[in-house]
Amino acid sequence: QKVSCSDGSEGKKSQHAEEAVFYMNCRAAYLTVLKSSLENIKSKEQLSLVLQQAGRNPSQKTVNKYWTSQTTTLNFDDFCTILKEEKPATKAELLEAFGKIDTDNAGYILHDELYKILTMRGEKMTPDEVSAIIKQADFNYSGKLDYNKFCDLYMTTSEQCCKTAREKLEVDRRLRQQQFGSQAEASSEGVTLPASKPSPRISRKTDHKLTPTKGDSRTPSRPSSAPSCKASISTTISMGASSNRNTKLIEPDTMKEWQCAQSKGCFYLEDDGEIISHKYKLHLPQKSTVCITIKPLNVCQVEGKSCHWLSVDTALYILKENETQENLQLVSFTEQQNKEMFGWKGELGPGVYWLLPFTTGCRLKKVKTQITGEAKLVYRGEDGELALTKEFRATLLDIFETIDLDGNGLLSLEEYNFFELRTSGEKCDEEAWAVCKENFDMKKNELTRQGFMDLNLMEANDREGDPSDLWVTLLSLGYNKALEMTEACPFVIDIYAEKCKPRIKAVYLEAGSWQLNRAICKSVVNKGEAKVMDGCENIIIYTYKAGRRITSVIENKSENKVIIHVSNEQSKNCLSNRGLTVFAVEVAPKSMMVSQHVMPLNEQEEWLYNCVHSLL
């Protein structure tokens, strides 16, 4: 028995070591293409490139298998799942494939025959691509390709690619520990392995046994020694208690005669820390003075229940649509504040505008909370029939209020599809909606609150009382196991127009786009204080204070990428969206990026923003 236990223990250790090596290779390949394992793969091309760095050679068919028409991004956990499915080709498999072409078993293929096969069959290659293969002297001679040597070189190149990625990861890890000290990577022996669960965007509700991932394992620490800095600049802003509350914004009550449009929405926190939200189009038929506001939405149906999201900061960036959607021009953003409401008042011409909601991530972030027990969602009555618990019904009413974007007390197919995309990654078509209409309570082709309740009850019945699928839905909507909404923030947008009827429509539910990032940077550059870094005139730090938020932007005017060390060690009562006191950022040549967003930890106390940016 002792020997058996010992063998079992050794087997588990061996398996754990194999998994640790696998995830280390995953990270190495991922970080060769992307800056951080928290950054998402945003295109088919990136997915193909990352797979190649992991020693795979994906066909277009393979890439399309994982990047469908519904895919917008894939995260690191998705990538790990794909690598588990797509095993690297072995030499035996390659030789077998070539053997089907070399029917004479000669050990080579004529260039003319190879050219025809590669340019006319399967995923056709271009003549230039085939020529590049034929010109390789290592396995070509006398108009022939020695495919045995080709396979040897292929395997060697694949292994070298993985080895180079691992070596780069190790060098980067040492540099971070030596220079930054803020995000020292755990060694392979102590690495926390992420659960291989796809993100909600591509997961199915039937994957009810999957648990949320912990994401990237990082150990914040202070630098063991001061970094070697070429130049630096310090910015200090002192803020009084509650001095971030102003009343510049005109109250909507003063515009009772103005025409109004309203839409709700929500910020959702992803497993990798990314924040996604609804995006809107605003239509104005004629020139008018308008007032646009955004604030967290209190949807809590249970008296006395905590509403964590009400302290989350919100903002709206207003962009004008020109000839194309790609060409959006920043108009302004909601910088005026009245309590939890932020707004903007000004004149807009006729046309289409994009409203991009934004939150810094200072308050909406991953927080570990101690939960004593899991809330009960369903129970069986005396008649043996399943029913929803009182707590779960109250939560479903909160969810209904959030996803009922137009606030008419009913869910349209469009509103319901935003809910479906978030919770299952799929959409409900007209035919499926007609089936819902036959089985659940609807009015004017829209789902009622009771219909929504019955829909969830049916889901519980389909699983014979197993609440796993219901929990997948709740977790994807930001609820924890105690039915508290801790990783989402519903909000409401109000638009008042003096001379016309405004129309607002939610069009997307996605992560912050490059247009939003560009708008944030541009607003800080336009309105913030600019400081040129001493000893380096190509690096400019912009700092802007808007209400209870301070944002800094780094502009790199040089031809080379730069690494900027950022220290908040002298700040007091401050909360950074980075979650670290000391960190470093890499800024590409001729570009700008957000360094950090900072808010007061306790708004009732004074806070001091003291940030030092240093060029390494």
Side-chain angles (χ1 to χ4, degrees):
Q1 284 179 337
K2 285 181 181 178
V3 171
S4 176
C5 289
S6 176
D7 289 345
S9 176
E10 289 299 319
K12 286 182 180 179
K13 284 182 180 178
S14 176
Q15 183 182 0
H16 183 81
E18 287 178 10
E19 288 180 336
V21 170
F22 171 76
Y23 281 107
M24 181 184 69
N25 289 334
C26 289
R27 282 180 54 76
Y30 204 83
L31 295 178
T32 302
V33 178
L34 299 156
K35 293 179 183 178
S36 162
S37 55
L38 297 179
E39 187 177 343
N40 287 340
I41 297 170
K42 297 181 177 66
S43 67
K44 282 186 179 181
E45 292 73 24
Q46 272 193 337
L47 175 59
S48 182
L49 192 57
V50 177
L51 287 171
Q52 288 169 0
Q53 292 295 334
R56 310 306 193 261
N57 189 26
S59 64
Q60 196 58 49
K61 183 179 179 181
T62 299
V63 173
N64 289 339
K65 175 182 172 183
Y66 298 104
W67 193 282
T68 69
S69 58
Q70 300 295 322
T71 309
T72 55
T73 59
L74 295 173
N75 63 27
F76 176 67
D77 293 332
D78 300 330
F79 173 64
C80 293
T81 303
I82 293 170
L83 281 193
K84 284 184 177 179
E85 293 290 327
E86 302 299 326
K87 305 295 183 185
T90 64
K91 184 178 179 181
E93 290 170 335
L94 292 171
L95 289 174
E96 183 183 351
F98 277 113
K100 292 178 181 178
I101 302 171
D102 178 21
T103 54
D104 297 333
N105 201 27
Y108 60 81
I109 300 171
L110 294 173
H111 286 171
D112 290 344
E113 185 180 3
L114 184 69
Y115 185 89
K116 288 179 182 177
I117 291 170
L118 296 182
T119 58
M120 298 178 68
R121 295 187 194 174
E123 292 187 17
K124 302 176 184 65
M125 295 175 69
T126 66
D128 288 342
E129 288 172 334
V130 179
S131 296
I133 295 174
I134 292 173
K135 286 177 182 177
Q136 292 287 331
D138 295 325
F139 45 81
N140 289 288
Y141 53 89
S142 305
K144 304 171 185 176
L145 178 139
D146 185 329
Y147 59 80
N148 194 59
K149 288 185 177 179
F150 171 84
C151 291
D152 285 338
L153 184 63
Y154 176 92
M155 299 304 296
T156 303
T157 304
S158 178
E159 290 167 7
Q160 185 60 42
C161 205
C162 294
K163 183 182 177 184
T164 302
R166 286 195 300 270
E167 289 173 349
K168 182 178 183 298
L169 177 67
E170 178 63 19
V171 171
D172 288 349
R173 181 181 70 83
R174 287 173 182 168
L175 279 174
R176 270 193 289 273
Q177 288 177 327
Q178 178 185 342
Q179 295 181 332
F180 308 155
S182 59
Q183 294 181 328
E185 300 291 339
S187 65
S188 59
E189 290 82 4
V191 69
T192 302
L193 302 182
S196 56
K197 170 189 147 335
S199 66
R201 290 181 291 275
I202 62 171
S203 65
R204 301 277 74 83
K205 281 190 178 181
T206 49
D207 300 332
H208 61 278
K209 293 182 180 179
L210 299 175
T211 55
T213 60
K214 294 180 181 178
D216 203 15
S217 175
R218 296 181 180 273
T219 309
S221 65
R222 294 185 182 276
S224 56
S225 60
S228 174
C229 302
K230 298 177 182 177
S232 66
I233 190 168
S234 176
T235 304
T236 302
I237 301 175
S238 181
M239 303 285 287
S242 300
S243 66
N244 52 338
R245 302 283 187 172
N246 62 63
T247 54
K248 291 180 184 176
L249 184 64
I250 296 177
E251 286 283 2
D253 289 343
T254 65
M255 297 171 283
K256 291 179 180 178
E257 303 302 318
W258 292 21
Q259 299 190 65
C260 180
Q262 185 185 83
S263 183
K264 288 180 276 188
C266 196
F267 294 111
Y268 295 107
L269 188 61
E270 296 280 54
D271 288 335
D272 60 4
E274 190 173 39
I275 296 172
I276 74 169
S277 75
H278 294 83
K279 306 286 188 294
Y280 304 84
K281 274 190 176 184
L282 167 65
H283 297 259
L284 282 180
Q286 69 182 77
K287 184 178 180 180
S288 176
T289 300
V290 299
C291 179
I292 301 174
T293 66
I294 181 172
K295 66 177 180 179
L297 176 66
N298 189 354
V299 296
C300 193
Q301 302 285 332
V302 181
E303 190 175 339
K305 193 172 182 180
S306 60
C307 304
H308 307 276
W309 67 91
L310 290 179
S311 65
V312 171
D313 57 294
T314 59
L316 267 180
Y317 284 81
I318 306 159
L319 289 80
K320 177 75 167 69
E321 183 174 285
N322 295 317
E323 294 80 15
T324 64
Q325 183 180 322
E326 297 296 319
N327 187 20
L328 300 179
Q329 181 181 358
L330 175 65
V331 176
S332 192
F333 64 101
T334 53
E335 59 180 324
Q336 296 175 323
Q337 181 184 359
N338 187 2
K339 296 182 180 179
E340 75 279 0
M341 179 190 293
F342 280 81
W344 175 83
K345 183 172 180 287
E347 193 171 71
L348 294 178
V352 178
Y353 297 83
W354 284 77
L355 302 181
L356 306 182
F358 169 72
T359 184
T360 60
C362 290
R363 301 191 188 280
L364 184 60
K365 59 171 59 177
K366 293 283 180 181
V367 178
K368 289 183 180 179
T369 53
Q370 193 69 30
I371 299 173
T372 53
E374 183 179 302
K376 194 173 182 181
L377 305 183
V378 294
Y379 69 96
R380 290 195 181 275
E382 294 179 357
D383 56 359
E385 295 293 319
L386 277 176
L388 307 178
T389 64
K390 181 181 177 182
E391 293 78 14
F392 185 38
R393 288 182 65 85
T395 300
L396 286 176
L397 286 174
D398 288 351
I399 292 171
F400 188 93
E401 286 301 312
T402 301
I403 64 178
D404 176 19
L405 302 182
D406 61 9
N408 71 342
L410 301 167
L411 292 183
S412 66
L413 175 57
E414 200 168 25
E415 290 171 329
Y416 182 76
N417 272 335
F418 279 123
F419 166 77
E420 275 295 309
L421 282 171
R422 178 61 194 163
T423 57
S424 71
E426 296 178 342
K427 291 178 75 172
C428 178
D429 57 23
E430 293 285 352
E431 187 177 345
W433 193 243
V435 174
C436 283
K437 191 173 182 178
E438 294 174 2
N439 293 277
F440 305 106
D441 186 37
M442 283 198 181
K443 289 182 181 178
K444 300 177 181 178
N445 203 36
E446 294 189 332
L447 193 65
T448 65
R449 287 182 178 84
Q450 187 57 51
F452 184 65
M453 295 285 187
D454 293 340
L455 190 62
N456 282 273
L457 180 58
M458 182 202 72
E459 193 167 333
N461 275 303
D462 285 347
R463 305 290 302 178
E464 297 182 348
D466 183 352
S468 301
D469 281 357
L470 297 174
W471 277 119
V472 170
T473 297
L474 289 166
L475 293 172
S476 67
L477 294 174
Y479 286 86
N480 62 19
K481 292 286 185 163
L483 292 181
E484 298 169 326
M485 183 161 53
T486 57
E487 295 185 359
C489 172
F491 56 79
V492 59
I493 298 170
D494 286 290
I495 300 154
Y496 298 86
E498 184 180 20
K499 296 181 179 178
C500 61
K501 175 66 176 175
R503 288 186 295 116
I504 182 173
K505 180 183 177 67
V507 288
Y508 294 119
L509 178 61
E510 62 182 17
S513 60
W514 64 269
Q515 289 106 327
L516 176 59
N517 293 328
R518 187 176 66 175
I520 293 170
C521 288
K522 194 170 181 180
S523 66
V524 172
V525 169
N526 289 345
K527 299 203 171 194
E529 178 191 7
K531 286 187 178 181
V532 178
M533 187 170 285
D534 295 334
C536 188
E537 60 184 14
N538 286 325
I539 308 298
I540 304 172
I541 308 298
Y542 299 89
T543 306
Y544 177 63
K545 178 173 68 72
R548 54 181 172 175
R549 174 186 59 153
I550 294 174
T551 298
S552 61
V553 167
I554 305 169
E555 182 177 12
N556 175 18
K557 290 186 174 182
S558 74
E559 300 288 345
N560 304 305
K561 73 175 183 181
V562 296
I563 297 175
I564 305 295
H565 178 272
V566 186
S567 172
N568 297 311
E569 290 180 299
Q570 300 304 314
S571 293
K572 295 178 181 178
N573 189 30
C574 283
L575 189 64
S576 170
N577 72 305
R578 296 278 182 175
L580 298 165
T581 303
V582 178
F583 59 93
V585 293
E586 184 179 287
V587 189
K590 300 287 185 181
S591 70
M592 62 177 68
M593 66 175 291
V594 173
S595 169
Q596 64 177 339
H597 304 287
V598 175
M599 294 183 65
L601 188 61
N602 184 344
E603 292 186 21
Q604 305 308 315
E605 297 178 3
E606 294 181 354
W607 53 295
L608 177 70
Y609 172 78
N610 188 319
C611 179
V612 179
H613 289 82
S614 306
L615 175 65
L616 294 179

